[in-house]
Every structure is written in C-alpha cells, then in structure tokens.
Amino acid sequence: PKERAGSGQIYGKSEPPVKNQKEVCRKRFRPFFSMKFNDTLCSFVQKNIQIGKIPMLVGEPGIGKSSWLSALASLMHTKVFEIPCNQLAEKADLTGGRIVPMGKDKNGEETFGQKFFPHYDINEAIQYADEHPTETPILFLDEINRTSSDVTSAALSLATSRKLGSVYLPKNLRIVTAGNDKGNINVLDK
C-alpha cells in the first residue's frame, strides 16, 4: 500500500517480522522475476541499504524499479520517500538553497546569506527517520539521470555528503538512487 505525502510518495506498511527471508523475497517479488529482480538482488540491495551503501537501480523506463523498491521497503518494515528528480527544474528545488536577507551590517547596508530549505519530502524523510530510530527509511532519488546536470550533481552530492547546507540526514536514513539506461538521459560516468 502507499499513501501520498507532499509531492513525493511514501511506501510501505508495518508487518510482523519474517522468519524465512528468502521465501518472503520469492513470494513478494514473484511479479518482478521476469525483470531479473530476483531473491539474489533482493538480498543484495537489502544488505547494502542496511549497512549504509547507496544502491543504484538502473534499467529501461517502466521496468518496475520504483515498485520493486516499494516492495523491498515493505519487506524491511519501513517507508520510502520518493523524489522524482526529473520533475525538479533546478538544484534549488532539491536543496532549497536560497539567498535571503540577513540584516544590516555596521554601515546600515543590507547583507545577504545563503540558507537552505530542503525539499518537502526530504524534510518528511528526516522527520520520519528521527521518529523511528530503529528503522532504516529510504530516501529514493528516482530518475536521477533524466534531469539537468546541476540537479543530478546536487542529488549525488546529497547522497555522498548526507547534508544540505547545515541540515544533516539522520544516520538511519538511507539513500537509493535509480536511473534509466535508455532514452533522454545524462551520462553519470564516461
């Protein structure tokens, strides 16, 4: 199940702990097996998320990467906070970096400084992670290579630095990225 929050989506639901992880992977991900989203991938990505690595799901548009991650989050008893990067016009839409008035200097001149007001769904993910310290909620940066290069750069910086200005991501908040290998894409690495 999913519920809408802000401009992104929150996925997952609470379920009792499972005893046979491999069998649950097979059952829950059966519709995805034809797309090579099998129990090996399920186990590999889940372990990477748990230890804080940043998996990137890459494949053709419409293959089910977002739905697969939603099912994995449900299996992990947590939520996914999705940011469709291709809908961001500029990096400030993600980071919230803005130049704002800071007051007057000793000569009476207006001064300005940069402040950060992160994307609504990033704030929601931070709040959820803070309120659920035993979970590993997922901030999902989807379509990371189907946007402008400055948005892609900001998203990758967020993933590696784990902060936006002075706002740090909680230690239990994990990041997963996804992109397409065909169509209108920015090359991430040549």
Side-chain angles (χ1 to χ4, degrees), residues 20-33 37-40 42 75:
N20 185 342
Q21 194 81 3
K22 196 170 189 176
E23 184 56 37
V24 171
C25 262
R26 274 199 194 107
K27 187 185 286 184
R28 186 151 302 145
F29 296 104
R30 191 176 323 273
F32 301 105
F33 280 173
F37 289 135
N38 57 27
D39 57 341
T40 302
C42 169
L75 176 70

Side-chain angles (χ1 to χ4, degrees), residues 116-136:
F116 289 85
F117 307 93
H119 190 281
Y120 176 84
D121 293 305
I122 294 173
N123 283 324
E124 289 289 306
I126 290 170
Q127 181 179 348
Y128 184 87
D130 285 341
E131 292 171 357
H132 299 88
T134 60
E135 289 185 31
T136 52

Side-chain angles (χ1 to χ4, degrees), residues 60-96:
E60 294 181 20
I63 196 171
K65 296 178 292 289
S66 300
S67 298
W68 183 83
L69 187 62
S70 170
L72 181 62
S74 180
L75 176 70
M76 295 173 64
H77 312 290
T78 195
K79 293 185 177 183
V80 171
F81 297 82
E82 181 180 358
I83 297 179
C85 293
N86 63 329
Q87 295 178 10
L88 304 175
E90 59 184 39
K91 71 179 180 179
D93 293 338
L94 178 69
T95 64

Side-chain angles (χ1 to χ4, degrees), residues 121-187:
D121 293 305
I122 294 173
N123 283 324
E124 289 289 306
I126 290 170
Q127 181 179 348
Y128 184 87
D130 285 341
E131 292 171 357
H132 299 88
T134 60
E135 289 185 31
T136 52
I138 300 165
L139 180 60
F140 181 39
L141 303 175
D142 196 12
E143 306 282 356
I144 198 167
N145 64 341
R146 291 188 69 143
T147 186
S148 66
S149 58
D150 68 325
V151 172
T152 297
S153 178
L156 292 173
S157 292
L158 170 63
T160 55
S161 70
R162 298 190 52 80
K163 71 177 197 158
L164 292 168
S166 61
V167 178
Y168 286 84
L169 300 181
K171 291 183 190 280
N172 63 320
L173 181 60
R174 302 299 193 251
I175 296 176
V176 174
T177 62
N180 297 312
D181 60 356
K182 294 186 175 147
N184 183 22
I185 61 172
N186 287 328
V187 178

